[in-house]
Amino acid sequence: MPEGHSVHRIARQFELHFVGRVCEVSSPQGRFAAGAAQLDGRKMIAARAVAKQMFLEFEGDLFLRVHLGLYGAWDFAGEISTDATMRSAKGRIGQTNQRGTVTEDGDAGDDADHVPDDDGEDSLRSIGAPRRSRYRMAEQEKVEDPIEAFPPDPVGQVRVRILTETAVADLRGPTACVVEDPAGVQRALDKLGPDPMNDDGPEAEKAFVDNVRKRNVAIGQLLMDQSVVSGIGNVYRAELLFRQRIDPYKPGKEITVRQAKALWQDWSKLLHDGVRIGQMMTMDGLTDAEYRKAMRSRADRHWVYHRAGEPCRVCGTEIRVADMAGRKLYWCPEDQK
């Protein structure tokens, strides 16, 4: 399932290439025909991600709310950028250098090497000028075969297609794809915990701390609850708890204020990093060579996730795995006592 950083990056792709443009909206599959008809011919005026949900705002106080769920993905094609890098405060588009740093002048320096990983993930491509490309964005991002004609024919069961003169976005397999009015959007937002990409200030931190410490539920389960905190999935859950050396089975009400604040601040850091570089890099303190190796191989990116039976990178204890909240939990029984 895509985690919070992926959804924020998808929203930025819409910001770059769809916001401010009149859109043709259709449902090639047919299942969203009525909703598409409501949005067709309207200008998209904003794109916002909160937690694992995205809200595309159109003229006339209409919103398309999308939750990708386990199997959903957006395919972008046309004159698009193959890295939805953030805009600077001045509104210009930056590039990412090898460490993922955005530069306002678009100069990524000598470190802006293209580093696809061994699994085909391709998130470190400099943004450059939009090019006629096909780009798949879900849990991972991947540049696919370039298109020969625009717009390309829909591929597979496309729930909704959003088309402008230069770009197209096809949605497949979402858990939710709904047209909402402002009241419906607010109801959805009211169910979500704080999202540090949207607000990492003291009030958001306090909301997270309070949400955790009032519950007699294991912290490993609470971090996956989107009403407690937005955007954390299975990878980030395991990595955050290891980074803070917290037992995943410790009840939320036993988490200290200091621990809860540290979790929130670390989540803010990892989420911002993930949005910037497009990958869940959770290890730090790496040399340049180690960093480049980690960007090429997911096996070298994480402390404990997906490392069951392997030695802990810190103490050598065998990493354990168990089911929690319907997902596999990884942790070190020695370092996370």
Side-chain angles (χ1 to χ4, degrees):
M1 177 183 292
E3 303 203 24
H5 77 291
S6 298
V7 184
H8 281 284
R9 285 176 63 82
I10 292 169
R12 291 201 170 148
Q13 191 71 271
F14 278 104
E15 289 176 354
L16 290 173
H17 302 301
F18 293 83
V19 168
R21 295 169 173 84
V22 173
C23 299
E24 295 181 22
V25 184
S26 62
S27 180
Q29 177 193 58
R31 291 182 57 186
F32 189 65
Q38 290 181 267
L39 303 175
D40 187 37
R42 297 178 186 266
K43 182 185 293 185
M44 187 183 296
I45 60 177
R48 180 187 182 193
V50 182
K52 298 179 183 180
Q53 301 201 49
M54 187 174 63
F55 303 85
L56 301 177
E57 183 178 358
F58 291 82
E59 290 178 316
D61 282 340
L62 291 178
F63 296 78
L64 178 62
R65 176 174 65 87
V66 174
H67 191 310
L68 292 179
L70 284 172
Y71 305 109
W74 283 98
D75 282 350
F76 294 91
E79 295 179 13
I80 61 169
S81 303
T82 49
D83 184 4
T85 315
M86 68 184 67
R87 293 178 183 271
S88 74
K90 297 179 181 178
R92 291 179 292 176
I93 300 171
Q95 292 180 320
T96 53
N97 65 20
Q98 186 59 38
R99 289 288 186 181
T101 303
V102 177
T103 59
E104 287 189 354
D105 59 4
D107 181 6
D110 295 333
D111 289 332
D113 296 334
H114 166 48
V115 186
D117 76 7
D118 294 337
D119 300 295
E121 191 171 351
D122 195 11
S123 301
L124 285 185
R125 191 178 287 265
S126 296
I127 194 166
R131 57 191 70 113
R132 181 163 282 192
S133 308
R134 188 190 295 271
Y135 199 45
R136 184 173 180 82
M137 300 185 76
E139 183 178 0
Q140 288 92 38
E141 301 174 27
K142 184 177 181 181
V143 177
E144 299 187 336
D145 293 337
I147 61 175
E148 296 181 359
F150 181 84
D153 292 333
V155 177
Q157 296 297 307
V158 175
R159 183 77 55 86
V160 60
R161 164 167 279 205
I162 302 175
L163 175 67
T164 72
E165 292 182 352
T166 58
V168 62
D170 286 342
L171 173 65
R172 293 200 296 268
T175 293
C177 177
V178 183
V179 175
E180 303 273 19
D181 60 15
V185 169
Q186 191 57 53
R187 285 193 295 271
L189 293 175
D190 289 343
K191 297 177 183 179
L192 300 175
D195 182 332
M197 278 303 299
N198 297 316
D199 181 7
D200 60 359
E203 290 186 6
E205 179 184 74
K206 183 178 185 304
F208 170 76
V209 172
D210 292 345
N211 287 345
V212 165
R213 300 190 71 245
K214 69 183 180 184
R215 304 280 295 278
N216 190 28
V217 176
I219 185 63
Q221 186 170 336
L222 289 176
L223 292 184
M224 297 280 280
D225 185 339
Q226 299 301 297
S227 69
V228 173
V229 59
S230 286
I232 296 176
N234 210 31
V235 179
Y236 281 128
R237 167 178 70 172
E239 294 297 293
L240 281 164
L241 290 173
F242 179 83
R243 286 164 63 95
Q244 298 305 317
R245 304 300 193 266
I246 295 176
D247 181 349
Y249 290 93
K250 188 173 185 178
K253 68 178 185 179
E254 295 181 14
I255 298 293
T256 67
V257 171
R258 182 176 180 179
Q259 285 177 316
K261 286 184 174 181
L263 277 171
W264 170 258
Q265 291 162 10
D266 203 25
W267 171 225
S268 179
K269 176 190 181 302
L270 291 182
L271 180 57
H272 280 81
D273 287 349
V275 172
R276 190 168 61 244
I277 66 176
Q279 295 177 357
M280 289 181 278
M281 169 63 77
T282 55
M283 295 186 66
D284 42 26
L286 303 179
T287 66
D288 286 345
E290 290 170 336
Y291 185 88
R292 290 179 63 83
K293 180 182 178 183
M295 294 307 291
R296 287 191 174 95
S297 170
R298 296 177 204 169
D300 296 303
R301 263 176 233 162
H302 306 310
W303 292 102
V304 294
Y305 178 74
H306 222 264
R307 300 191 66 246
E310 297 184 41
C312 174
R313 299 185 192 276
V314 175
C315 71
T317 302
E318 184 176 295
I319 298 299
R320 292 185 182 175
V321 62
D323 288 335
M324 178 181 280
R327 305 293 297 278
K328 290 190 181 300
L329 167 74
Y330 301 87
W331 82 103
C332 173
E334 179 63 29
D335 286 319
Q336 294 175 256
K337 288 182 178 179

